[in-house]
Amino acid sequence: MTVTLADVAARARVSPATVSRVLNGNYPVAAATRERVMRAVDELDYVPNGPASSLAAATSDLVGILVNDIADPFFGIMAGAAQGAIGAPGAGRAGGEKLAVVCNTGGDPERELTYLTLLQRQRAAAVILTGSPVEDPGYRAAVTAKLARLGEAGTRVVLCGRPPLDGAAATTLAFDNRTGARRLAEHLLELGHRRIGYVAGPADRTTTRHRLEGHRAALAAAGVAEGPVAHGGYDRASGHAAVARLLAEDPGLTAVVAANDTVALGVCAALRERGLGIPDDVSVAGFDDLPFSVDAAPALTTVRLPLHEAGARAGRLALGTEDPAADGPVTIPAELVVRNSTAAPRS
Amino acid sequence: MTVTLADVAARARVSPATVSRVLNGNYPVAAATRERVMRAVDELDYVPNGPASSLAAATSDLVGILVNDIADPFFGIMAGAAQGAIGAPGAGRAGGEKLAVVCNTGGDPERELTYLTLLQRQRAAAVILTGSPVEDPGYRAAVTAKLARLGEAGTRVVLCGRPPLDGAAATTLAFDNRTGARRLAEHLLELGHRRIGYVAGPADRTTTRHRLEGHRAALAAAGVAEGPVAHGGYDRASGHAAVARLLAEDPGLTAVVAANDTVALGVCAALRERGLGIPDDVSVAGFDDLPFSVDAAPALTTVRLPLHEAGARAGRLALGTEDPAADGPVTIPAELVVRNSTAAPRS
DNA sequence: CTGTTAGCGCCTTCAG
DNA sequence: CTGAAGGCGCTAACAG
């Protein structure tokens, strides 16, 4: 029923080996023969059997991209860019093409491990891990081990927007969250803010810690006391809910820094509900600079992370198209973007 | 080097077949034997070779989810829900688990076809197509043929949020875009608007046409003349740019309906830049009711599509967990959500 | 309940 | 440059 390589060979009156060779294009074949084979392929509408070739070649053309939340553009942008870089080269006909595929872990370490196992089972050509991992020794050991195993099996591993993991043979592209957060805090400080609330991400993630550290460093350098901190998720509801807690701790807050732009939106909404104007009564800042941030009212002051560029680079790294930096992990800078949601505090 | 099923069999002192049976759990095996095998699996840290089993079983555990734009939450939400439904059952140990995987077509018909071929090559267990397809006879014929081929090969095909495609043996879940758009227009009409601009999506997509048809139907029923229409993409920039064209055609517009919420945000921004208040000077409405819409300022009037529910259902359908409706395509209703971005026109 | 026997479809030396 | 032969790791009848 389904047409196999042997069928093509018969139709083209060559051996299966020859068909394999023209399809994979990594072996000299006479032009005339190739032509004949190609015709047969088209006439028969032949589609190679992936599992069979993966089995025989001991490697597949699958590239997995793990994300924490597929409904969050933060990940969507990186994943899309990576897929673009991977799918783009779009080699020849039936062969070549890699299947770049994104897997949604929901931020759950267990699901992440499950996906890694699944990808390992598929003998994936590469795996890209994006987003902040949880800081848990057990989890850390488990991923490290799993990544090591993947590496041994020939799967290329790249960490994108995630801190380096020593012990794992992974190429890494980390965001400079610490510096970004520091710049943002400095900006607020320069405007004159002294009572700054902070809506942080989940307490157990590296990104949360790094951003908080940068924020505190700026405060400490300026000799300003730290304001209230409320932890929550990366969704707007968390930001919305956090406002009450922040204000309870310090009703005189003049600025709020959010874990990311989405959270900032929730913060803005909650502030407005209380009759507070932005930035007249309270300044608000986000992080990431997602596309919608410029359209918020007022436009959000935030820290831009080159998500697209990082994703594309991760894709090339996964493909082996780009060589990893010889000198270890690459740190991608974050850039302060000042817009209208921050201003000097009411005097 | 890599441990195989045979290694496990040797360690457990059983035949390879027995190991296969306990791993797949679809065959009676003595408890004691199973226990022994499991122990060997753990001790050896055995991970089955996916390609090998796919080859032997002539089917894989891969489920593909095709989306038009992975950076758009519209798709992210559906894809996430589908993946949740598929990954959730999370059967036993090494076996069971399906690998739900999302592929970003970028809305490009060719890439969509490429992905389908890739998935076909992998002998995917199922494929879920989401989002609006282009209306092109050639493309239509090509997908229909491809889907037919996939169906023959045992791949389950489900269309989610996409109109039925006759000729293809696909289960379909379509959104009632037409009725949703009609309700939205009726809402504006009831408020008293008579000069309504429309920022439509790409001209060649079914969703664009359906929403426009619903919009026009409402206008026609009310005997109101159609206002200016500007086509564009589904991004905020398109909405932003369209405003100038709309206003050029009718400077007296009192309301603008956008292709979706993201576009509506762009429309709002452009309107504000011109000093027009929302909804005081111009009412604006979106479509889809994405999470950020409630946080926009003002909160967006829109049409809610049960994205999460539809995605989850598509996932179950793809898994075969839920039986498709016997009586053909299912139409999922859209619900008008009135918020603060629409109001009666200035009299 | 468990072992034996054949392949699944393709890649890859090895000859020619 | 092309053909022949063996095996990748696992599943699926069959026997027992």
Side-chain angles (χ1 to χ4, degrees):
Chain A
M1 22 167 290
T2 61
V3 18
T4 77
L5 190 155
D7 299 329
V8 176
R11 194 137 180 22
R13 319 181 117 267
V14 294
S15 76
T18 300
V19 177
S20 170
R21 293 198 262 252
V22 343
L23 254 25
N24 294 309
N26 42 10
Y27 222 82
V29 173
T33 312
R34 182 205 317 294
E35 180 48 43
R36 203 138 39 84
V37 170
M38 285 316 231
R39 193 146 11 110
V41 166
D42 285 342
E43 289 169 353
L44 263 34
D45 193 18
Y46 169 67
V47 174
N49 181 312
S53 25
S54 295
L55 174 57
T59 171
S60 85
D61 52 4
L62 204 67
V63 175
I65 303 172
L66 270 57
V67 302
N68 280 350
D69 182 6
I70 199 178
D72 185 340
F74 175 84
F75 293 102
I77 292 169
M78 280 195 292
Q83 267 193 323
I86 293 167
R93 318 193 41 70
E97 286 284 23
K98 295 270 185 218
L99 211 205
V101 113
V102 1
C103 306
N104 186 208
T105 66
D108 178 359
E110 288 218 44
R111 279 181 69 72
E112 180 173 306
L113 256 4
T114 301
Y115 269 121
L116 286 177
T117 300
L118 252 21
L119 256 6
Q120 177 185 7
R121 186 187 315 177
Q122 300 296 330
R123 301 300 186 259
V127 172
I128 299 175
L129 304 192
T130 67
S132 188
V134 299
E135 298 195 282
D136 171 70
Y139 160 75
R140 190 193 171 83
V143 243
T144 305
K146 183 59 87 181
L147 293 185
R149 198 109 328 130
L150 279 163
E152 286 163 18
T155 297
R156 224 179 304 244
V157 178
V158 8
L159 267 29
C160 177
R162 168 179 286 227
L165 192 62
D166 36 52
T171 306
T172 120
L173 258 32
F175 289 131
D176 194 353
N177 286 301
R178 217 180 255 107
T179 305
R182 183 151 53 74
R183 293 247 189 293
L184 183 56
E186 287 166 356
H187 160 67
L188 257 13
L189 256 10
E190 279 164 21
L191 285 175
H193 293 277
R194 291 297 175 268
R195 300 172 73 171
I196 306 174
Y198 194 105
V199 181
D204 61 351
R205 326 218 58 123
T206 58
T207 296
T208 299
R209 180 165 60 79
H210 293 161
R211 291 186 184 173
L212 209 37
E213 285 172 1
H215 179 75
R216 287 175 173 153
L219 256 36
V224 170
E226 188 183 337
V229 173
H231 283 278
Y234 283 123
D235 54 314
R236 58 97 30 192
S238 295
H240 191 276
V243 169
R245 283 181 285 154
L246 253 30
L247 253 22
E249 257 189 77
D250 181 356
L253 242 34
T254 62
V256 175
V257 173
N260 69 13
D261 293 346
T262 306
V263 172
L265 245 40
V267 168
C268 289
L271 252 18
R272 263 194 299 266
E273 284 168 18
R274 291 165 174 264
L276 294 170
I278 302 162
D280 301 337
D281 297 307
V282 181
S283 284
V284 175
F287 210 108
D288 297 346
D289 192 25
L290 296 186
F292 64 75
S293 304
V294 66
D295 282 326
L300 231 44
T301 287
T302 186
V303 175
R304 174 176 303 152
L305 252 24
L307 266 12
H308 189 89
E309 179 193 294
R313 190 158 170 198
R316 292 193 300 270
L317 250 12
L319 230 48
T321 302
E322 177 176 322
D323 289 324
D327 49 341
V330 171
T331 297
I332 298 180
E335 177 199 358
L336 175 67
V337 177
V338 176
R339 288 200 276 247
N340 307 323
S341 66
T342 50
R346 215 187 265 283
S347 54
Chain B
M1 24 165 287
T2 63
V3 20
T4 76
L5 190 153
D7 298 328
V8 176
R11 193 138 181 21
R13 318 181 118 267
V14 295
S15 75
T18 300
V19 176
S20 169
R21 293 196 265 251
V22 342
L23 255 24
N24 294 308
N26 42 10
Y27 223 82
V29 174
T33 312
R34 182 206 318 293
E35 181 49 41
R36 204 138 39 84
V37 171
M38 285 316 229
R39 192 143 15 103
V41 166
D42 285 342
E43 288 167 355
L44 264 34
D45 194 18
Y46 169 68
V47 175
N49 182 311
S53 28
S54 294
L55 174 57
T59 170
S60 85
D61 52 4
L62 203 68
V63 175
I65 303 173
L66 271 58
V67 302
N68 281 351
D69 182 4
I70 199 178
D72 185 340
F74 176 83
F75 293 102
I77 293 170
M78 279 195 292
Q83 266 192 323
I86 292 167
R93 316 193 40 71
E97 286 285 23
K98 296 270 185 215
L99 212 205
V101 111
V102 2
C103 307
N104 187 209
T105 66
D108 177 359
E110 287 217 44
R111 281 183 66 75
E112 180 172 305
L113 256 5
T114 301
Y115 269 122
L116 286 176
T117 300
L118 251 20
L119 256 5
Q120 175 184 7
R121 186 191 313 178
Q122 299 296 332
R123 302 300 188 258
V127 172
I128 299 176
L129 304 192
T130 66
S132 189
V134 299
E135 299 196 281
D136 171 71
Y139 160 76
R140 190 193 170 81
V143 244
T144 305
K146 184 57 89 180
L147 293 184
R149 197 108 332 129
L150 279 163
E152 286 163 18
T155 297
R156 225 180 303 246
V157 178
V158 7
L159 269 30
C160 178
R162 167 179 286 227
L165 192 63
D166 36 51
T171 306
T172 121
L173 256 33
F175 289 131
D176 194 354
N177 286 302
R178 217 180 254 107
T179 304
R182 184 150 53 73
R183 294 249 190 292
L184 183 56
E186 286 166 356
H187 160 67
L188 258 14
L189 257 9
E190 279 164 21
L191 285 175
H193 293 278
R194 292 295 176 270
R195 299 171 75 171
I196 307 174
Y198 194 105
V199 182
D204 60 351
R205 324 218 59 123
T206 57
T207 296
T208 299
R209 182 165 58 78
H210 293 160
R211 292 185 184 172
L212 210 36
E213 285 171 1
H215 180 76
R216 285 172 174 153
L219 257 36
V224 170
E226 188 181 337
V229 173
H231 282 277
Y234 283 123
D235 53 314
R236 58 95 34 190
S238 296
H240 191 276
V243 168
R245 284 181 284 154
L246 252 32
L247 251 23
E249 259 190 74
D250 181 356
L253 241 35
T254 63
V256 175
V257 173
N260 69 13
D261 293 345
T262 305
V263 172
L265 242 41
V267 168
C268 288
L271 252 17
R272 263 193 299 265
E273 283 167 19
R274 291 165 175 262
L276 294 170
I278 302 162
D280 301 336
D281 297 307
V282 181
S283 285
V284 175
F287 210 108
D288 298 344
D289 193 25
L290 296 187
F292 63 75
S293 303
V294 68
D295 281 325
L300 231 44
T301 288
T302 185
V303 175
R304 173 175 305 151
L305 252 25
L307 264 15
H308 189 90
E309 178 193 295
R313 190 159 170 194
R316 291 194 300 270
L317 251 12
L319 230 49
T321 303
E322 176 176 323
D323 290 323
D327 48 341
V330 170
T331 297
I332 297 180
E335 177 199 358
L336 175 66
V337 177
V338 176
R339 289 199 275 248
N340 306 323
S341 67
T342 51
R346 215 186 263 284
S347 55

